[in-house]
Every structure is written in C-alpha cells, then in structure tokens.
Amino acid sequence: MKEMEVELLRLIEKNANLEVEKIAKLMGKSTDEIKELIGHLEKKKAILGYSTLIDWAKVLDKEEVTAMIDVKVAPARGVGFDKVAERIYRFPEVKAVYLMSGAYDLSVTVKGKTMMEIGHFISEKLSTLDSVLSTTTHFVLKKYKHDGIILEDEDEGDKRIVVSP
Amino acid sequence: MTKTSYISKQVADLKPSGIRRFFDLAAQMDDVISLGVGEPDFVTPWNFIEQSFHSLEQGYTSYTENAGMIELRNEISNYLRKNYHLTYDPTDQVIVSVGASQAIDLALRAVIDPGDEVIVVEPSFVAYVPTVRLAGGIPVTIQTRAENEFKLTPEQLEQAITPKTKAIILCNPNNPTGSLLLKEELEQLAKVIEKHDLLVLSDEIYAELTYDDVYTSFPSIADMKKRTILISGFSKAFAMTGWRLGYAAGPTEFIAAMVKIHQYTMMCAPTMAQHAALEAMKNGRQSVLQMMESYKQRRNFIVSSLNEAGLHCPTPGGAFYAFPSIQTTGLSSAEFAEQLLHQEQVAVVPGDVFGASGEGYIRCSYATSLKQLDEAMSRIKRFVIKRRALQSSQ
Ligand SMILES: Cc1ncc(COP(=O)(O)O)c(C=O)c1O
C-alpha cells in the first residue's frame, strides 16, 4: 500500500496532468483502485493541490519579479517562529516561507509585478512587524531550473538512431 | 586489382543484419515514432558524465591497464558480490571491455577452435551468430517457442548437443523477447550443461532490468561458476550505450585468455568511459532504481495497450522489450513492420531478424517517452483495426 502510494505520488509529482486511466495502466492497477487511492491521498492531505509550472515570460511581455528575502526575527516565547511566520505567509504576495538554519531565520519568497511593488511590501508590511529584526532582499535575475524542471533545455530531442539491435 | 574480391570468404558469406535493412527504411522517413531502439531513452546520469569531465580535466587521457583500471575492476567485483552473491578476484577474474559486444567477441575467440559448435538460443540478440562464425565456430541455433514463453527447455538443449558442442550462449533476460529465466529453470538447464561439460557465456546485460521476480545470475547456480563467463556492461541499466563500456568476469583461465587477445587488438577500453563507469558503480544505484521504476511502468502500459489493440502480448519479465504476436493479422513479421512504418510511421523490429522462431512476432522497445509510447499505441491499434477490416472483406 505504502509502495503504491509512493509510486503514484512520484508519477503525479512529475505530471499532475496524467489521466487516471494512464496511471492505472502504468501501475498495472484498475482505474477504480487509482481513483480511490488519489481520493485517500487528497483526504489525508498528502496531495495538497495540483498546480502548473508556467514560464510566464513566454506569455506576458514582462515577467513578474521574484525576490527572496532573508529575514531575521526575534522568536516569541511559547510559539517560537511559528507566529511570526504565519503573520508573513498569510500575505498573498508571499509564495513561500521556510524556517532556515544559519545566518538568518526565515526565507521568504515574494512575487510582485514590479520591483517597486515588492519594495513597498517589504518596507510597509514586512520590516514593520515587531518581531522582524532585519531583512536582506535578493531579486531573482534569471531562472535556470525550478522545482526540478530545467526551463530552457535547448534540445531535448531524441538523439538515438531510429532502429538498433 | 585483379582478384574478383579481396573480401574474406568468411565475411562475404556473413548475412547483413535484418536490423540494418530496417534501419535504412525507417531512417528515410520523417516523424517516425520509433519502438525499434535497443537502448535506453535516458541520457546518462549527470554524475557519471561529470566524473568523466573531471577525469579529463585531471589529465586522465592515456591508456589504462589492459584489463581496465584496477579501481573499476574492484568496484565491479564488489557490485557482483553485493547484487548477485558472486565472488570474482578483481586482479585476474575481471576484464573491462569495449561494450558487452567486445566481451562476447573476446570470450568466443578465446575458447573456440575451428569447427567447435556453439549453441545460440533464438530469438536472440543479432550479434551472437555472426560473432561465433567470425571466431571460427559453428553456431547451432535452438528455436524457443511462444508456448514456453520463449524459454529454453532442458529437453531442447539436450537435443541440440553433439560431441562437437563446446559452449552455449545464454542471454537472461533476453533481447528481443524480454523473457526471464528463473532460478529453478536455470538449475534444470545447469544439469544438462554439467552432464555435457559445456562452457556457458552468460550475457546478463539486462540483469538489473527485471521487474517482478528475484534475479538469479547464472554463475551463482551451484557448480556453474567454474564453467561460466559472465558478460555484462553499462549500456542498458546505466544508460551508457555510447560510452562503449562492458565487462566480463569468470575463472582466471578464461579471463587471462581474453586479456591476451584484448591487449593485442584493443589495448584497453576508453579511459574517460572507465572513469564514468567508476562513478556509476559507486554512486549509480539511485539512478538505476529510478530508471527501473520507469521501465516497469512503461512495460505495464505497453503490454496492456498491445493486448487492447488485439496483439497478444504476455508480460515480459525483464529488459525493455515487448514481443507481441502479430499472427492474427495474417501478415508476416516483415510485412507487418513495413506496412506499419509506411501507413502509421511507427518503427518496430520484425521478429524474424532475431531468428526463425521470431517469425509471427515484432519487437517493440518501450524505452520511449510515455507520450510517444501512447501515440504509438493508438497508431498500432488503428493499423490493426484497418487490417482486420481488410481481412474480413476478403
Ligand atoms: C543482449 C545484448 N547483449 C549485448 C549487447 C551489447 O551491448 P554493449 O553496448 O555493451 O556492447 C546488447 C545491445 O543491444 C544486447 O541487447
């Protein structure tokens, strides 16, 4: 059961678009079994959602701006970093928040239409929080690989000869 | 030049490979989806490639020892012990070769005297028969049967043996049928082999790519190690076909004889490839397992799709080939493959190129992206339906 779950999750982690019928064939199971398993994994929140990886630059004239912000915070008694993290991750422009080991505490990824917009978020919302001690902002200049996917793979074509022993 | 031909009679008489003819047909066409490829669709894992870069940067651009770098032979020896419970001394029982292909050639040349018979179990990898001939031996083929899942039976083996039989080539799992001989089956064959004192060339290049059952390496069968030359390599499970790297392991006497030929005819296997292979042996397990899972899934997919399309296809136990029957279409293997190529631009290999018993079957490699495989299956289905309609209107 566990193995089946892992196999299924690995398949749809790579391609959330894979039809149930195909998953069933690949795993050698019936479609009903796969549907049930997916339902089960959704219910226990192992599957949290199905998103699409998009290269917005291919569609919009200007790509959104992404910033990764290193945030130092003063943890609060009893709740540690969780409370301040929540204050931050509730903002819709915040796309990711991680608690980090090392020189700073929270790594916050923010997306905005312009650098100005992100600057505004940092100065108005983030750095004004009581427990935030300091922020260091890094803007992303170019994305090479995201979530395991290489964005501009020049030539992924099959380089094999068509028939071989 | 006055002679009518300078080409040796041996070579002139060699039949050109049926694969080659089909390659020429398919290569002329655009937009072909190929299920005719006998190699992985994965690119070599990056850490192997990167290790090879590193070795080049370090200046490892010269020959290695004839038998291959000792570090690599050590790792191969460890690998065989860990995965197949085999013990081979890396100093004199392992040779690194230019692909399993060269290891097969070396092994045959090392043991064959003119007129010796070597048993080849068909349908088989296309190189065995010609390689036996070129070594001066006489290939004696056994035709395995679909009703035995294309597995060699002890009775068939017994019948093929003559006083001149010196060796048998076993390929497990098999190219092109994907059939996998299990431990008990190997033990039955071993009895006959022992009785007639045969030497075994065990081509286990697809050993890692077995999906349902525990794999048994032939030399791990009781008393077989002393009469077996194990042949394997990096091409399939490690996705390294273009690096041209394989190996053989066996009793000292055999390996020494192979090294003797190798030192004069090849010197050594490519050095940069040996460095990549070293990384593959040390840190390649994870990549191999991932590729295995993907092959297994695609095997399940292609087998159920072929059966749905009306081509009877049992589930192969290993390698990355499905070998469905096309007999219900009323076409020969060659006709089926050619018409499929022309009408639907899907390339498969007609089964008869692998031996007479392959007639009535086609080899479909599922080492192809799921998207391509899916499209190929729809096309094959459409082809079979059209063919059926034609048959019933006649
Ligand atoms: C059964 C078998 N043995 C040997 C080989 C040759 O492999 P290599 O690339 O190591 O020479 C192949 C390749 O197709 C094969 O299918």
Side-chain angles (χ1 to χ4, degrees), chain A residues 164-165, chain B residues 38-39 98-102 104 125 128 171 173-175 203 205-206 231-236 240-241 244-246 321 363:
Chain A
S164 58
Chain B
E39 60 178 321
V98 181
S101 301
Q102 192 218 358
I104 295 165
F125 176 48
Y128 299 147
C171 180
N174 187 249
N175 171 12
D203 183 344
I205 196 161
Y206 294 102
I231 288 167
S232 191
F234 297 88
S235 285
K236 314 292 171 169
M240 292 180 68
T241 43
R244 308 309 305 124
L245 213 69
Y321 308 107
R363 189 191 74 174

Side-chain angles (χ1 to χ4, degrees), chain A residues 10 22 25 160 162 164-165, chain B residues 34 39 293 305 363 374:
Chain A
R10 270 208 292 260
K22 282 221 184 85
K25 267 189 171 182
R160 299 175 298 168
V162 281
S164 58
Chain B
S34 184
E39 60 178 321
E293 178 172 88
S305 304
R363 189 191 74 174
D374 194 25

Side-chain angles (χ1 to χ4, degrees), chain B residues 10 107-120 128-129 131-141 160-169 197-199 201 254:
Chain B
Q10 177 81 273
L108 289 168
R109 283 200 278 161
V111 302
I112 290 178
D113 282 318
D116 283 346
E117 292 181 358
V118 177
I119 294 174
V120 175
Y128 299 147
V129 164
T131 314
V132 169
R133 284 235 164 81
L134 288 169
I138 300 168
V140 174
T141 58
I161 295 171
T162 75
K164 287 189 183 155
T165 310
K166 187 170 229 172
I168 171 169
I169 305 178
D197 199 20
L198 304 185
L199 175 69
L201 257 70
F254 297 122

Side-chain angles (χ1 to χ4, degrees), chain B residues 68-371:
Chain B
M69 297 184 334
I70 185 65
E71 297 88 334
L72 178 56
R73 283 181 282 143
N74 277 332
E75 289 300 332
I76 291 170
S77 169
N78 289 338
Y79 184 86
L80 293 174
R81 179 158 24 78
K82 231 174 28 208
N83 294 296
Y84 309 113
H85 317 292
L86 297 167
T87 43
Y88 288 107
D89 184 340
T91 59
D92 59 4
Q93 299 189 322
V94 176
I95 176 176
V96 178
S97 59
V98 181
S101 301
Q102 192 218 358
I104 295 165
D105 186 36
L106 289 175
L108 289 168
R109 283 200 278 161
V111 302
I112 290 178
D113 282 318
D116 283 346
E117 292 181 358
V118 177
I119 294 174
V120 175
V121 186
E122 292 190 332
S124 81
F125 176 48
V126 294
Y128 299 147
V129 164
T131 314
V132 169
R133 284 235 164 81
L134 288 169
I138 300 168
V140 174
T141 58
I142 297 179
Q143 304 301 326
T144 56
R145 289 190 285 266
E147 61 265 31
N148 299 330
E149 303 168 60
F150 291 108
K151 292 180 182 187
L152 174 65
T153 66
E155 297 75 36
Q156 282 187 305
L157 177 56
E158 186 77 59
Q159 275 170 18
I161 295 171
T162 75
K164 287 189 183 155
T165 310
K166 187 170 229 172
I168 171 169
I169 305 178
L170 285 179
C171 180
N172 194 33
N174 187 249
N175 171 12
T177 58
S179 84
L180 175 70
L181 291 160
L182 301 177
K183 184 154 187 237
E184 313 78 68
E185 293 159 335
L186 293 170
E187 282 169 348
Q188 293 306 314
L189 295 173
K191 281 187 198 147
V192 183
I193 286 162
E194 180 86 44
K195 179 173 150 202
H196 294 277
D197 199 20
L198 304 185
L199 175 69
V200 177
L201 257 70
S202 190
D203 183 344
E204 306 192 10
I205 196 161
Y206 294 102
E208 289 87 348
L209 306 181
T210 48
Y211 309 113
D212 312 304
D213 302 291
V214 178
Y215 182 75
T216 306
S217 174
F218 190 76
S220 73
I221 303 279
D223 299 328
M224 286 299 113
K225 191 170 160 230
K226 61 177 189 292
R227 55 173 75 252
T228 304
I229 302 176
L230 169 66
I231 288 167
S232 191
F234 297 88
S235 285
K236 314 292 171 169
F238 296 90
M240 292 180 68
T241 43
W243 299 78
R244 308 309 305 124
L245 213 69
Y247 58 88
T252 312
E253 181 194 5
F254 297 122
I255 299 301
M258 290 167 69
V259 172
K260 213 186 219 176
I261 307 172
H262 184 67
Q263 70 187 342
Y264 293 125
T265 56
M266 194 61 68
M267 308 272 280
C268 68
T271 305
M272 61 274 247
Q274 292 191 51
H275 281 275
L278 192 56
E279 174 69 13
M281 288 276 97
K282 283 183 178 163
N283 301 311
R285 195 69 197 154
Q286 201 52 38
S287 306
V288 171
L289 291 176
Q290 273 171 18
M291 292 190 271
M292 249 172 76
E293 178 172 88
S294 167
Y295 290 133
K296 180 178 179 178
Q297 291 168 343
R298 288 180 282 171
R299 177 200 64 165
N300 295 343
F301 183 84
I302 196 171
V303 168
S304 65
S305 304
L306 286 168
N307 282 308
E308 270 171 35
L311 299 180
H312 176 66
C313 183
T315 303
F320 36 61
Y321 308 107
F323 204 62
S325 164
I326 48 106
Q327 285 153 3
T328 54
T329 62
L331 297 170
S332 72
S333 300
E335 287 166 346
F336 185 98
E338 256 171 67
Q339 292 184 19
L340 180 67
L341 181 64
H342 286 120
Q343 291 177 27
E344 296 286 354
Q345 288 78 49
V346 175
V348 298
V349 183
D352 63 316
V353 312
F354 304 102
S357 50
E359 178 51 55
Y361 299 82
I362 53 170
R363 189 191 74 174
C364 305
S365 162
Y366 50 85
T368 301
S369 73
L370 181 61
K371 203 168 152 197

Side-chain angles (χ1 to χ4, degrees), chain A residues 6-37:
Chain A
V6 173
E7 187 179 354
L8 175 102
L9 289 172
R10 270 208 292 260
L11 275 171
I12 59 176
E13 184 181 30
K14 267 181 273 176
N15 180 7
N17 213 10
L18 207 56
E19 299 95 332
V20 173
E21 292 72 26
K22 282 221 184 85
I23 299 173
K25 267 189 171 182
L26 287 165
M27 290 181 50
K29 305 280 177 224
S30 73
T31 51
D32 283 344
E33 279 173 289
I34 298 300
K35 274 185 195 151
E36 199 185 308
L37 192 55

Side-chain angles (χ1 to χ4, degrees), chain A:
Chain A
M1 187 64 180
K2 176 89 183 291
E3 270 166 37
M4 244 176 92
E5 287 183 1
V6 173
E7 187 179 354
L8 175 102
L9 289 172
R10 270 208 292 260
L11 275 171
I12 59 176
E13 184 181 30
K14 267 181 273 176
N15 180 7
N17 213 10
L18 207 56
E19 299 95 332
V20 173
E21 292 72 26
K22 282 221 184 85
I23 299 173
K25 267 189 171 182
L26 287 165
M27 290 181 50
K29 305 280 177 224
S30 73
T31 51
D32 283 344
E33 279 173 289
I34 298 300
K35 274 185 195 151
E36 199 185 308
L37 192 55
I38 291 177
H40 170 70
L41 288 165
E42 284 172 346
K43 212 159 126 202
K44 78 168 185 190
K45 295 208 170 194
I47 298 174
L48 297 165
Y50 301 87
S51 63
T52 310
L53 190 61
I54 297 169
D55 187 350
W56 283 107
K58 296 257 161 67
V59 188
L60 304 175
D61 301 338
K62 264 198 290 184
E63 199 187 353
E64 277 187 315
V65 184
T66 304
M68 297 166 77
I69 310 164
D70 310 342
V71 186
K72 281 190 186 157
V73 299
R77 203 178 177 118
V79 290
F81 294 98
D82 297 353
K83 210 71 206 161
V84 58
E86 183 180 358
R87 277 291 285 276
I88 298 170
Y89 66 62
R90 292 269 174 214
F91 287 106
E93 52 271 67
V94 172
K95 301 300 169 193
V97 177
Y98 307 119
L99 179 62
M100 310 295 285
S101 66
Y104 58 95
D105 304 305
L106 295 175
S107 169
V108 177
T109 306
V110 178
K111 274 194 183 176
K113 286 199 183 60
T114 60
M115 257 155 96
M116 285 272 287
E117 199 177 280
I118 290 179
H120 189 259
F121 171 79
I122 295 165
S123 60
E124 293 299 312
K125 309 285 189 221
L126 192 58
S127 50
T128 53
L129 289 173
D130 279 346
S131 44
V132 169
L133 303 175
S134 75
T135 63
T136 311
T137 303
H138 313 274
F139 285 100
V140 174
L141 300 181
K142 181 171 180 177
K143 281 186 198 158
Y144 294 99
K145 188 175 184 181
H146 185 83
D147 271 355
I149 307 230
I150 297 170
L151 295 175
E152 291 202 15
D153 228 353
E154 290 137 21
D155 179 12
E156 280 195 276
D158 198 336
K159 297 178 183 71
R160 299 175 298 168
I161 57 174
V162 281
V163 181
S164 58

